[in-house]
Amino acid sequence: MSDYDTVSADVEHEDEIPEDHPRYQDLLTRHRIEKGVDKGITHLQGMHAEGRGSAFDYLLGEETIPSANDAERAAAAELLLAERPVLSINGNVAALVPGEMVDLADAVGADLEVNLFNRTPERIAAIASHLREHGAEEVKGLEGDARIPNLDHQRAKVDADGIYAADVVLVPLEDGDRAEALDEMGKTEIVIDLNPLSRSPQVAEVPIVDNIVRAVPNMTEHARELAGSNEDALRTIVDEFDRTKALEAAESRIRNGL
Ligand code: PTJ
């Protein structure tokens, strides 16, 4: 019998998932993605992305490993130092952590921008109103009046006064091409991705190999704790973070359980 057999597949509300289930967090995450698809927020491809993420998380031990915690602290410092920080929201992020992204934006003074791989006006509007239901006051991404250079199709569209003008961008669960194109624009990128070998964390200044449901609340906690720190102290946290070591530590945990 697998761990999943004890929970019915057609759970209506997430409160029905027993919190003492050994795979509680994974079941909750799957449920939120399914609901996101039902609501027109999450693309069907988001289910595949979730499946991949879930497999990596299983191998990580479904916990925030120490190097990921260091990355989350460095990311919080980087966002606090930024002049124009933006948190990018796609269909998976909106389904999994809408209120948590609003809290993080509030803690670091960042804008929220909907930025989709599979961009349609309907999904943009659905995600923006979902974020507003979770407390967001302003949501960018509806204009799409600028383009990320060297990237084709709709996924290059961003707001001129949002991601296009940002100095630091958080891009969770991101497609590798866009992460590379943002990197080429000179943005400081913070990426959350459970696959340390994916191109997005590989190009990020701060790669966070952790489940977004754990990473974002932890970044907010770090940001609130660091909020009173001066610029030098924040800069030291950023400078002391070693992105190569963090990626190696995550890969080693996944491959060897170490
Ligand atoms: O909503 P859209 O149209 O912008 O599309 C969003 C998806 C996620 C479908 C799109 O960006 C996509 O196809 O992304 P990829 O190329 O599948 O990359 C998603 C990455 O996120 C993969 O490397 C997964 O391992 C990782 N991932 C999935 N779920 C989580 C995750 N990382 C952290 N936390 C998760 N819960």
Side-chain angles (χ1 to χ4, degrees), residues 34-52:
E34 278 176 27
K35 288 286 164 206
V37 171
D38 285 350
K39 282 178 142 182
I41 289 171
T42 308
H43 194 273
L44 263 182
Q45 287 174 10
M47 287 190 158
H48 296 281
E50 172 55 27
R52 278 197 296 283

Side-chain angles (χ1 to χ4, degrees), residues 25 29 72 118 126 161 174-175 183 203 209 214 218-219 246 250:
Q25 204 175 55
T29 304
E72 285 153 17
N118 310 283
D161 64 350
E174 184 59 78
D175 145 64
D183 186 54
V203 297
V209 183
R214 296 188 298 270
N218 197 31
M219 286 165 73

Side-chain angles (χ1 to χ4, degrees), residues 127-169:
I127 292 171
S129 74
H130 185 64
L131 290 170
R132 286 194 202 99
E133 279 165 26
H134 284 83
E137 279 168 20
E138 201 201 336
V139 180
K140 291 191 188 293
L142 286 86
E143 300 287 328
D145 51 353
R147 290 189 79 88
I148 302 170
N150 307 319
L151 196 64
D152 59 2
H153 303 309
Q154 299 286 328
R155 65 197 171 138
K157 281 191 176 176
V158 287
D159 275 16
D161 64 350
I163 289 178
Y164 192 83
D167 52 349
V168 177
V169 194

